[in-house]
Amino acid sequence: MVVADIDTGINPYHAFYNAGSSIYPAGSPPASVTPELLAELGVDAAHQLTLTRTGDFAADFAADKAIWDGIKKGELYWFKGTNILAVTLRETNDGGIPILPDDEDDTHGVGTSSSVLTGNPEAVILFVEPDALGSDASHAYAFEHPAVDIVTTSYGASIPLVGIPLPEASSFPKTFQGVVELGKLHFSSAGNGPGLSPLRAGAGPWWSIGVSGFEEDSSNGRTLLSGLFPDFISDFTQNLPYCMACESGTNEFTAGTSFSTPLAAGIASRVLLEARRALGSAGGIQVRPDGKSQMAVAADGRTLSNWQLRRALEEAAYIPQITDYDPIEGVFDVAGLPINPVAPWLQIGWGVLSINPDKGVVAKALAFLGLAGEAPAAKDFGYCGFQTGNVQIRHQYWDVAAPASDPSITPPTEDPFIYC
């Protein structure tokens, strides 16, 4: 189960990614990168790196100087003892450090990658350090890579200082090809300000999944100031590693849709992984004789497409109740507001993609797919009606605006989207 994360840099020295951490406690070290996967990806012994980890980052980095000096642009590396594979598309002589953050202000990718693994510690991270965020090269690498199942992106255009997302007319490059033609899922941030998610280049297109933010298990508010009309919401503030020159420690206030988005992607990857196990489907995305890409294929012929997985997540997403709102915590939560009990879909889209087992998102999604347990009851028609209208508007906007700016996009004659 491979999730590609396009971002600024990752810190594989950090304890979070290694055995003995909160997500890999004793007896369950990260072990998703198998010899078979390495062979599929073409990662030979020379590209399998063992880092020095004593707890002293400066000393360990110095001890590993030969490793970092040997990193080459465009070549994929595995950091042994982790579920991290990484590639840099930057020029390696540009004065920065390949793959690692260049400084403490360049740690966004540490947060996004660790958020994916919070959602699914068994996911393999294929980390792409771009030549520039949103570049054609980085998107082509992630969205056209045959081993990648899900791509998460946490960037976009917004008004400086206030962060309100701007309407955009050109979709992110290669997202259409990756989702519609190659069968992947794309999760993208809906923005931290009150902009319209359907008009964002990443989160807006009907083939992509827009994720907004929600203060889960705190005030359960702050939904109206974070990406309006998304597909889903997920936890806005998390406790994640967020540093360059360290090997331990976390920031319990790592906040933004930059992190709710990869968390949602990680949860989706957990559903996909369990679905593949239930179906006995080995390997990644497969192309069937009819030319359609399937995320899983069982020996008895049953298949699972990216559209079916998305539909399962829609029905499985948790619906917060007005009683979940804590008015005392809400006083200290900027713009914290309770969920509207009359029309909650206006705030939360299909609902919360939560890692909390009590919310049952993974279990319900698998049940909806007919792979485990009893299928959940269909959600209120208001969700279906509103979200269907949302997707139809996105169709109208992106099927006209996107091809005008990207001639590589040809809207399909048959709509692959599975409606409720």
Side-chain angles (χ1 to χ4, degrees):
M1 221 323 302
V2 180
V3 178
D5 181 12
I6 307 173
D7 217 313
T8 56
I10 190 169
N11 178 7
Y13 285 99
H14 199 284
F16 182 88
Y17 301 106
N18 292 271
S21 73
S22 58
I23 61 169
Y24 303 118
S28 59
S32 298
V33 179
T34 63
E36 293 79 9
L37 179 60
L38 292 170
E40 177 186 347
L41 296 172
V43 179
D44 60 19
H47 290 75
Q48 300 175 26
L49 309 178
T50 300
L51 298 180
T52 305
R53 295 183 60 250
T54 66
D56 184 335
F57 179 87
D60 292 345
F61 179 71
D64 294 337
K65 183 178 185 301
I67 289 177
W68 298 110
D69 288 348
I71 298 289
K72 296 181 180 178
K73 175 183 176 181
E75 297 187 9
L76 189 61
Y77 297 85
W78 172 45
F79 293 96
K80 288 185 176 182
T82 76
N83 283 346
I84 299 170
L85 294 131
V87 62
T88 184
L89 301 182
R90 292 169 42 178
E91 296 297 336
T92 53
N93 60 356
D94 65 357
I97 307 169
I99 298 175
L100 281 173
D102 292 335
D103 52 44
E104 291 293 347
D105 294 327
D106 193 34
T107 51
H108 194 264
V110 182
T112 57
S113 58
S114 57
S115 187
V116 172
L117 294 173
T118 297
N120 180 14
E122 289 188 90
V124 174
I125 297 290
L126 198 163
F127 192 85
V128 181
E129 182 188 33
D131 45 346
L133 284 175
S135 72
D136 288 354
S138 62
H139 277 242
Y141 192 98
F143 285 97
E144 295 181 342
H145 200 297
V148 169
D149 301 297
I150 296 172
V151 184
T152 180
T153 57
S154 292
Y155 42 82
S158 61
I159 300 173
L161 301 180
V162 295
I164 297 175
L166 292 169
E168 299 170 84
S170 178
S171 61
F172 280 0
K174 302 299 182 180
T175 58
F176 178 88
Q177 289 82 0
V179 174
V180 178
E181 298 175 5
L182 301 178
K184 306 179 192 302
L185 287 178
H186 173 219
F187 287 78
S188 195
S189 56
N192 297 336
L196 295 172
S197 175
L199 300 183
R200 281 179 69 78
W206 55 269
W207 56 86
S208 296
I209 297 172
V211 183
S212 191
F214 172 75
E215 293 282 11
E216 187 172 8
D217 297 325
S218 57
S219 71
N220 284 336
R222 197 171 182 172
T223 54
L224 288 184
L225 284 184
S226 176
L228 303 179
F229 308 137
D231 291 291
F232 299 100
I233 60 176
S234 197
D235 197 1
F236 190 87
T237 304
Q238 299 171 53
N239 186 1
L240 301 171
Y242 202 77
C243 61
M244 176 235 176
C246 67
E247 295 186 15
S248 62
T250 58
N251 178 358
E252 62 181 316
F253 301 109
T254 307
T257 57
S258 283
F259 311 105
S260 64
T261 299
L263 177 64
I267 293 166
S269 79
R270 165 57 67 186
V271 176
L272 175 56
L273 182 60
E274 296 300 341
R276 284 176 171 165
R277 286 171 171 158
L279 290 168
S281 179
I285 294 173
Q286 302 178 39
V287 180
R288 304 296 288 162
D290 60 6
K292 293 183 178 180
S293 297
Q294 301 291 337
M295 299 193 100
V297 179
D300 61 8
R302 286 180 295 167
T303 60
L304 173 65
S305 73
N306 53 345
W307 304 106
Q308 289 171 309
L309 179 55
R310 178 172 179 164
R311 181 73 194 97
L313 291 170
E314 291 171 354
E315 289 296 342
Y318 164 67
I319 302 172
Q321 305 299 309
I322 191 171
T323 53
D324 292 335
Y325 179 69
D326 185 335
I328 297 176
E329 287 287 339
V331 171
F332 303 99
D333 180 13
V334 178
L337 294 170
I339 299 300
N340 174 2
V342 178
W345 47 84
L346 296 175
Q347 292 170 279
I348 66 173
W350 281 106
V352 184
L353 294 183
S354 170
I355 60 170
N356 187 334
D358 294 341
K359 303 301 190 289
V361 171
V362 173
K364 288 179 181 178
L366 291 170
F368 184 85
L369 294 170
L371 298 176
E374 184 177 348
K379 286 181 173 170
D380 185 287
F381 179 75
Y383 287 91
C384 182
F386 183 79
Q387 291 297 88
T388 296
N390 189 345
V391 171
Q392 289 172 340
I393 290 172
R394 290 158 72 180
H395 255 298
Q396 294 172 14
Y397 185 79
W398 292 103
D399 287 356
V400 174
S405 59
D406 186 350
S408 70
I409 296 177
T410 304
T413 55
E414 180 182 348
D415 186 357
F417 200 95
I418 298 178
Y419 296 89
C420 50

